[in-house]
Amino acid sequence: MKRFIKTQALAASALALSAFTLTACNNDIEHFIPSVDAPSFVSVSPESNLKSGLDSIIVSYNKNIFFASSDYEKITLNGEPVVSAHVLGSSSQLLIMAHIERDKTYELVIPDGIITGPNGTEAAGIKHTLKGQSQNISASLVNPNATAATKALYQKLLDNYGKKIFSGIMADVAWNTTEAEKVYKWTGKYPAINGYDYIHLHSSAPSGWIDYSNITPVSSWHNAGGIVTIGWHWNVPTSNPYASTVPVSLFSGSKEMPSDWSGNLQLTDQATKDILAKASVGSTLTVKITNVGSTAQGSIKNSSWAGFVDESGKSWEYFDISGDHYSMVLDQTTLREMQANGLIITGHSYTITDVTIEAAGKIEYSFRTEKNGFMIDEAVTKGTWAYQFIQSDLEKISAHLLQLQNAGIPVLWRPLHEAAGRWFWWGNGSAESYKKLWIMMFDYFKAKGINNLIWIWTSEGSDAAWYPGDAYVDIIGTDMYGQNGEAVSASDAAKRFDELAYRYPTKMITLSECGTVSEIPAQWSANANWSWFMPWYGSGSVVHASESWWKAAMASDKVITR
């Protein structure tokens, strides 16, 4: 019985295998795949404001698509092949890369059949209108109370924007027209704009070597038909000008420093930090001593028990001492560290009787970050000496700006420039503090009734976080200098212009400072359509704009002169 069943099973298997073989070899069997519609066009993004230069365009369909990247030349913008095209992974989107020009309208054409669906069905071609980036410049100033003369100047700039470019030159020593006269001597024409600077505000005095209350150099230029721009390399005290020169005690008593280095005086408490907070760069730390041994040494350490190292490279780890005291003049590095964490005084073979801190006898001024105790974060914080000084200087400069306003002189006002570069004190801190300072100045002048200013903010490129905002800026400037004697090319100038015009579409863009750049006619032809240009003045062997450069500029029919 078992043998029969096994034989029967084998027979059944053979029959099944035979049936399978016959079926598999039957070429008459049809395979049915459901039909799928061809991909349909959905959208193009972006359709407008395509960024000048190489930009991306996304074309979307209603289902996954296939495209041979080698066929990219069949896709065109205004009849010219795009740079590249490929499907984004396995998706319904085609990424196109193409060269875009500012203010230009394009027709995107994708021919029939080069886009297919999952089953090879061909998508219909498309034609779509795209627009390159463009600007829509604000017709009004950010100060609604601007004087009629100021509004007229802005309108003059606006009327010529993109059509012609105003010429400008920066004065040397801040308050004259010497450089403009030089340009006139070379070319027979004066620049339209002369640049001035309140750099010496702290030294200005009636009948002094610099006197900003004497506006003759400015009014004469204005009355001759010239435009006035003023910047402010804002010199501030590098240390607290209000600090008492009377020594303030950090310690008074008797603290022995045995010969085995086991003694120390830790001045790291909050009371010490509060006193040091009022010190400044140039303040002198004095340690009064007695019972000084012949081999005595002093040591001034930080809170980590390492000797301070000042900006000159000098280590205060240990040093020989004698007499009745030793002292340390604080620079920005040592002062900041002491203010944050205090200090520790140690050494051997002497006794400490007193430790004092006092302000420097002479106050130095600087607009640079280096070795400057003036910090922007403190300048916008009420109760600090830096804030007190800011308020004092804003009061001083307000009087000078009002004097120009009363004389009917509008000003292209360009303060706090190049902040993101951080080489000026107004960039030595946070972007938020910088914006607070800009707005503080804006509001202060508004409260004073100063209405003759057109506000120009200077960009350093990737510094959007430092922008005060559209409500506080009329015009965007940029400062551009060649490096190592090589001029900035016209194409690089145009790229900078396009980047700023894209980021600030409602603001005119200007070349607010320049030096060693390609000639203005070449820049203009490359589409760097600045509102104006202004080379910096030369100094010594440094020439920012040569005689031949100026001749080329002033001979152009696109350049506006005085």
Side-chain angles (χ1 to χ4, degrees), residues 141 146-155 409-411 451-454:
L141 292 163
T147 65
T150 308
K151 291 178 180 178
L153 174 56
Y154 183 76
Q155 189 62 49
I409 302 173
V411 175
N451 299 313
N452 62 328
L453 307 181
I454 296 174

Side-chain angles (χ1 to χ4, degrees), residues 1 23 48 69 141 155 211 284 386 398 410 441 446 540 546-547 553:
M1 183 68 176
T23 301
S48 60
S69 296
L141 292 163
Q155 189 62 49
D211 180 7
T284 301
S398 291
M441 179 188 292
K446 186 177 180 180
S546 66
E547 180 177 350

Side-chain angles (χ1 to χ4, degrees), residues 176-214:
N176 58 54
T177 57
T178 303
E179 293 294 304
E181 293 293 342
K182 185 186 297 182
V183 172
Y184 177 78
K185 181 179 178 181
W186 285 343
T187 67
K189 299 176 182 178
Y190 283 105
I193 303 170
N194 197 66
Y196 303 86
D197 197 326
Y198 283 121
I199 185 171
H200 301 298
L201 182 66
H202 66 289
S203 299
S204 178
S207 302
W209 73 269
I210 187 78
D211 180 7
Y212 292 132
S213 65
N214 177 11

Side-chain angles (χ1 to χ4, degrees), residues 187-260:
T187 67
K189 299 176 182 178
Y190 283 105
I193 303 170
N194 197 66
Y196 303 86
D197 197 326
Y198 283 121
I199 185 171
H200 301 298
L201 182 66
H202 66 289
S203 299
S204 178
S207 302
W209 73 269
I210 187 78
D211 180 7
Y212 292 132
S213 65
N214 177 11
I215 65 170
T216 302
V218 182
S219 60
S220 295
W221 181 264
H222 168 75
N223 294 338
I227 298 170
V228 172
T229 183
I230 303 181
W232 192 6
H233 283 84
W234 194 346
N235 271 300
V236 294
T238 60
S239 57
N240 185 354
Y242 310 112
S244 172
T245 57
V246 177
V248 178
S249 178
L250 299 177
F251 169 81
S252 183
S254 179
K255 184 68 176 179
E256 183 182 0
M257 299 291 131
S259 60
D260 61 358

Side-chain angles (χ1 to χ4, degrees), residues 208-353:
W209 73 269
I210 187 78
D211 180 7
Y212 292 132
S213 65
N214 177 11
I215 65 170
T216 302
V218 182
S219 60
S220 295
W221 181 264
H222 168 75
N223 294 338
I227 298 170
V228 172
T229 183
I230 303 181
W232 192 6
H233 283 84
W234 194 346
N235 271 300
V236 294
T238 60
S239 57
N240 185 354
Y242 310 112
S244 172
T245 57
V246 177
V248 178
S249 178
L250 299 177
F251 169 81
S252 183
S254 179
K255 184 68 176 179
E256 183 182 0
M257 299 291 131
S259 60
D260 61 358
W261 285 84
S262 61
N264 63 78
L265 176 62
Q266 298 187 41
L267 299 173
T268 55
D269 60 322
Q270 190 58 48
T272 297
K273 294 176 187 177
D274 289 343
I275 294 172
L276 289 170
K278 299 176 181 179
S280 56
V281 173
S283 290
T284 301
L285 177 75
T286 301
V287 181
K288 294 183 179 180
I289 56 179
T290 189
N291 302 325
V292 183
S294 60
T295 61
Q297 290 183 309
S299 180
I300 305 176
K301 300 179 183 291
N302 60 28
S303 59
S304 300
W305 291 87
F308 283 98
V309 178
D310 62 28
E311 292 173 357
S312 71
K314 178 179 179 179
S315 172
W316 293 83
E317 181 71 30
Y318 59 86
F319 46 89
D320 295 337
I321 59 175
S322 61
D324 62 359
H325 75 282
Y326 60 87
S327 61
M328 176 185 185
V329 177
L330 306 184
D331 55 26
Q332 188 177 45
T333 300
T334 52
L335 173 63
R336 290 295 169 190
E337 192 168 358
M338 285 186 189
Q339 288 176 328
N341 303 305
L343 68 150
I344 300 169
I345 301 174
T346 181
H348 70 87
S349 307
Y350 73 100
T351 300
I352 298 173
T353 61

Side-chain angles (χ1 to χ4, degrees), residues 356-494:
T356 62
I357 188 78
E358 60 182 311
K362 180 181 179 182
I363 302 299
E364 300 289 342
Y365 284 79
S366 177
F367 53 82
R368 300 193 182 279
T369 295
E370 186 180 8
K371 298 181 180 179
N372 196 338
F374 195 98
M375 311 296 286
I376 189 172
D377 295 338
E378 296 174 2
V380 295
T381 303
K382 290 183 178 180
T384 65
W385 68 264
Y387 182 88
Q388 182 180 351
F389 182 83
I390 288 289
Q391 299 303 304
S392 173
D393 256 17
L394 289 178
E395 180 70 22
K396 285 181 184 178
I397 205 166
S398 291
H400 295 303
L401 292 172
L402 283 169
Q403 192 178 5
L404 296 176
Q405 178 172 299
N406 293 336
I409 302 173
V411 175
L412 300 173
W413 176 240
R414 194 173 73 98
L416 305 173
H417 64 301
E418 302 174 7
R422 296 185 179 273
W423 41 76
F424 300 136
W425 66 260
W426 50 89
N428 187 23
S430 70
E432 287 305 312
S433 291
Y434 172 80
K435 290 186 285 188
K436 285 181 182 178
L437 179 59
W438 182 283
I439 295 169
M440 180 192 298
M441 179 188 292
F442 185 94
D443 290 343
Y444 193 100
F445 289 169
K446 186 177 180 180
K448 286 288 185 179
I450 299 171
N451 299 313
N452 62 328
L453 307 181
I454 296 174
W455 289 77
I456 302 154
W457 179 73
T458 310
S459 171
E460 278 298 293
S462 302
D463 55 0
W466 297 75
Y467 182 54
D470 285 350
Y472 301 96
V473 175
D474 292 304
I475 295 172
I476 304 296
T478 191
D479 296 351
M480 193 166 62
Y481 290 87
Q483 299 295 323
N484 302 316
E486 183 175 345
V488 178
S489 68
S491 60
D492 283 347

Side-chain angles (χ1 to χ4, degrees), residues 54 156-157 241 288 471 515:
L54 186 64
K156 184 176 182 178
L157 296 173
K288 294 183 179 180

